[in-house]
Each structure stands twice: as structure tokens, then as C-alpha cells.
Amino acid sequence: MRGLIWNCREAGKKGMATCLLDLISDHHSLDFIGLQETMKKNFTPKCIRRIDPFGLFHWEWIPYVGKSGGILSGVRHDTLDITS
């Protein structure tokens, strides 16, 4: 199992979606992705499609509170199962 955990310090900043897309494309064998400090309350379907255009991952997030926080996690459909 291979994963990526990254303290991205604001997922909405310019170039972040492209950077994540490149990471996913370069490392085909990633089973999960976790982004910390996203500083976003919500991730729209459009935003998720920019990161994962082929829909390889199931995405969930926890919104930020105050001036820090926020987590985005993606789990690959074909290798892992989500139970709850």
C-alpha cells in the first residue's frame, strides 16, 4: 500500500490543483492521499475533478475551523474499501 500525506498549506492557492494532478499521474500506484491544512470549508465537484479527472479516488473532507485546519482525503476505489 502506498500513500501520500502532505501539509499543503491552503489547497485553494494557484497551481495547487495542477500540482496534485501531476502527483497522482506520476505515481500511479498511490492508494490514498491525505492533505492537511487545506483552509477550505468545501470542495466542489469541479474542484475534485481538477485534482482527479478520471475519478480514481473517493474523496472526503473535514472543513477548517478558525485560522487553521481542514483535511482532504482520497481513497482509491480499486484497491481499498471504505466501511464507514
Side-chain angles (χ1 to χ4, degrees):
M1 179 177 355
R2 292 182 54 165
L4 169 72
I5 305 293
W6 183 16
N7 185 345
C8 68
R9 296 186 185 175
E10 193 174 346
K13 63 185 168 187
K14 186 175 181 174
M16 184 61 71
T18 303
C19 181
L20 287 170
L21 175 61
D22 290 344
L23 278 171
I24 292 170
S25 298
D26 291 345
H27 302 281
H28 307 300
S29 60
L30 287 177
D31 296 313
F32 65 91
I33 298 171
L35 302 178
Q36 303 171 142
E37 300 293 332
T38 61
M39 300 300 293
K40 289 184 69 104
K41 288 192 183 261
N42 193 11
F43 286 87
T44 64
K46 180 181 177 182
C47 180
I48 296 297
R49 275 193 309 275
R50 287 190 306 169
I51 296 169
D52 181 18
F54 301 111
L56 299 175
F57 293 84
H58 173 79
W59 296 94
E60 293 290 334
W61 60 89
I62 298 171
Y64 81 98
V65 177
K67 296 185 180 202
S68 64
I71 297 173
L72 175 65
S73 63
V75 176
R76 195 171 179 114
H77 292 290
D78 60 353
T79 56
L80 298 172
D81 292 325
I82 300 170
T83 58
S84 64

